[in-house]
Amino acid sequence: ELEAASSPTRYPTIVVEEDDIEVVPLRFDLVNVPEAGLSLSALKAEMTTILKRVLVRLSERVDVIRITKVEETVRAKYSARGLREVERRQEGEGLRDVTMFFDVHVVRVDGMRFGPIIVQEIQDSYSEITRDIRSYSDENLLGSDLTLNLCTSR
């Protein structure tokens, strides 16, 4: 005897196996970050927002790319928040360098490597990302010569 099938869920979800995900690592080095007056967690949140905005625009242009998650990650030797203060500090100026790591999770498509596409988009958007992070710095009265370095591998 057959059982009656349960009714479909109102909000269906798509389950993606972990093997079906390509993870693209990104590293951003922020140089000349003021020691005082800056919440590193707020800076991280702002950087995440900027990165998501760039990647949403990419996914609108490239039909096959499906980004499932953008998350800040922790690398070995780095703090629990994925932030690392580089040893180099400018003496007497109250500035430091901060490194942030992000993983971009993308649904795999046979024959496609999304890493190079994402890295190229980030590189192409470098001036926009830099402008936005500097604007954030200025809005928070940090007033430093904040510089952004992008470190990725294709």
Side-chain angles (χ1 to χ4, degrees), residues 49-115:
T49 300
I50 292 167
L51 187 56
K52 285 179 179 179
R53 186 172 51 240
V54 168
L55 293 171
V56 163
R57 207 171 43 235
L58 172 65
S59 67
E60 290 171 351
R61 284 196 333 271
V62 180
D63 288 340
V64 294
I65 197 167
R66 268 195 39 227
I67 297 168
T68 61
K69 182 171 35 172
V70 176
E71 65 180 352
E72 188 188 17
T73 58
V74 177
R75 299 286 189 257
K77 299 181 189 170
Y78 299 94
S79 72
R81 293 186 308 220
L83 295 167
R84 175 177 71 113
E85 289 185 36
V86 179
E87 295 305 314
R88 189 181 77 76
R89 294 174 181 259
Q90 291 95 8
E91 292 299 319
E93 293 186 34
L95 300 175
R96 65 183 165 195
D97 299 347
V98 175
T99 298
M100 290 187 274
F101 296 91
F102 294 90
D103 282 344
V104 179
H105 296 247
V106 185
V107 175
R108 287 190 198 278
V109 173
D110 287 339
M112 294 284 299
R113 287 189 58 234
F114 292 113

Side-chain angles (χ1 to χ4, degrees), residues 28 47 50 53-54 57 120-135 146-150:
F28 295 93
M47 191 67 195
I50 292 167
R53 186 172 51 240
V54 168
R57 207 171 43 235
Q120 187 63 53
E121 183 67 20
I122 298 298
Q123 288 174 336
D124 292 347
S125 302
Y126 174 82
S127 61
E128 172 191 347
I129 295 168
T130 302
R131 183 191 68 232
D132 289 352
I133 206 72
R134 278 189 184 140
S135 174
L146 194 68
T147 304
L148 173 71
N149 296 320
L150 168 67

Side-chain angles (χ1 to χ4, degrees), residues 9-25:
T9 60
R10 185 173 183 162
Y11 302 103
T13 58
I14 298 172
V15 176
V16 178
E17 296 294 322
E18 197 62 38
D19 290 345
D20 293 337
I21 298 293
E22 177 182 348
V23 178
V24 180

